[in-house]
Amino acid sequence: MVELDESQQFQLTRMKLRSRIKTQTVAVAVVVFAATWGTWFLLSHEFFVRHSGAAAELMSRRKADWPAVSDSAALIAVLVSFVVLAGLVSWTFLRVRKAEQRLARSLPRRIAHGKKLGVPDVAGLGSFGMWLLSTFGGSVIGLGIGLLADTAETRLLGFTYAAGVVLLGGLSLVLIRQVVEQPALADDERSLRTDDALRRKDAQLALVPAGIYLGLPMTSAVPEFAEWLWWFLVGYAAIGFLCLLAALIRRAAQRPPAPPSTVL
């Protein structure tokens, strides 16, 4: 069994802390988004379940029977999704920062970087570029839906989607500024490298691709513009795959060659 020194145990504690907080956040996000868009599905589609006596009947329904709710369901779902997404990201960052502050009090000495780091240095140029693509592409598509839609409800939905993407993009910039400027929690060069890796994960969490996260349910909410959204989602996935492939190739090229074996 490998014995960890005090510095390694400190960094391991930081890793476990982040893993636990992010797992809890993902669980809450899945439950809330499933409830939000599940409710939208039930309100917007032409069926509902009516209990008649002891048995439940599947009854067809026209949307005109419930116009005030069904016409607003997609807009309400998008608004709730943006608010929840912003709240969950902020909540996760707040919990991590408070936990880091508690851990920092137990560190006797700290070292810092010798140069000032920027957002691409901390988050990685690929992650930063994908966030830009999501924010710019999502806002453009939302504005396009808002300007070209035939109905007032769809226009309002498009403008709401674009505004939410822009606002969450602003939130990302605020949070990643905090990540870049926060002091390192490290006491030697090895733990400083670990701190860099954790800082990168925090920065990538801050760069929320809101346009992508809500692009998928939007394809059902605005079927007349679904082709735009699908091209956006597929293009984003393709570019992300190419960036990942390029990173793997670069990492393999930078890996030092294995020492030659000696045959006795």
Side-chain angles (χ1 to χ4, degrees), residues 130-178:
M130 296 302 289
W131 170 80
L132 281 177
L133 174 63
S134 171
T135 303
F136 179 75
S139 59
V140 168
I141 288 179
L143 289 175
I145 294 173
L147 293 172
L148 300 177
D150 295 329
T151 63
E153 292 83 4
T154 305
R155 287 197 295 271
L156 183 58
L157 184 60
F159 286 134
T160 301
Y161 175 73
V165 171
V166 172
L167 290 175
L168 275 176
L171 175 64
S172 294
L173 292 177
V174 171
L175 294 178
I176 201 168
R177 180 181 176 87
Q178 297 178 10

Side-chain angles (χ1 to χ4, degrees), residues 8 24 26 28 30 58 84 100-101 166 168 178 186 196 212 224 228 242 247 255 258 260 264:
Q8 290 174 319
Q24 293 170 354
V26 169
V28 173
V30 169
L58 190 65
V84 169
E100 293 270 85
Q101 290 171 3
V166 172
L168 275 176
Q178 297 178 10
D196 288 342
I212 297 302
E224 60 268 43
W228 289 14
L242 291 176
R255 187 176 303 163
L264 299 177

Side-chain angles (χ1 to χ4, degrees), residues 43-125:
L43 292 178
S44 300
H45 287 69
E46 297 183 0
F47 62 84
F48 72 103
V49 176
R50 185 178 71 179
H51 291 276
S52 176
E57 299 180 39
L58 190 65
M59 308 293 295
S60 69
R61 164 177 74 78
R62 298 170 61 87
K63 291 181 68 176
D65 296 338
W66 211 351
V69 178
S70 61
D71 290 344
S72 305
L75 178 61
I76 294 171
V78 169
L79 286 172
V80 170
S81 298
F82 276 121
V83 171
V84 169
L85 190 58
L88 285 174
V89 173
S90 303
W91 177 59
T92 302
F93 262 81
L94 181 63
R95 293 182 66 193
V96 171
R97 293 284 77 79
K98 286 186 175 181
E100 293 270 85
Q101 290 171 3
R102 290 195 301 268
L103 289 173
R105 300 189 190 105
S106 64
L107 200 64
R109 68 185 186 91
R110 297 163 74 169
I111 64 173
H113 279 286
K115 65 174 183 177
K116 185 176 179 60
L117 300 175
V119 173
D121 300 318
V122 175
L125 191 59

Side-chain angles (χ1 to χ4, degrees), residues 172-256:
S172 294
L173 292 177
V174 171
L175 294 178
I176 201 168
R177 180 181 176 87
Q178 297 178 10
V179 174
V180 171
E181 294 181 350
Q182 71 185 12
L185 282 181
D187 55 1
D188 55 25
E189 289 295 332
R190 182 173 57 183
S191 60
L192 186 61
R193 289 193 295 270
T194 303
D195 183 83
D196 288 342
L198 295 176
R199 189 190 299 262
R200 170 162 292 202
K201 291 183 179 297
D202 290 346
Q204 291 170 349
L205 176 64
L207 297 175
V208 184
I212 297 302
Y213 285 165
L214 293 184
L216 188 59
M218 281 287 289
T219 58
S220 298
V222 285
E224 60 268 43
F225 293 96
E227 186 176 355
W228 289 14
L229 290 159
W230 277 117
W231 276 112
F232 177 46
L233 296 172
V234 172
Y236 182 90
I239 294 174
F241 175 76
L242 291 176
C243 290
L244 177 62
L245 187 61
L248 293 174
I249 293 174
R250 184 172 63 250
R251 191 178 305 169
Q254 293 175 349
R255 187 176 303 163

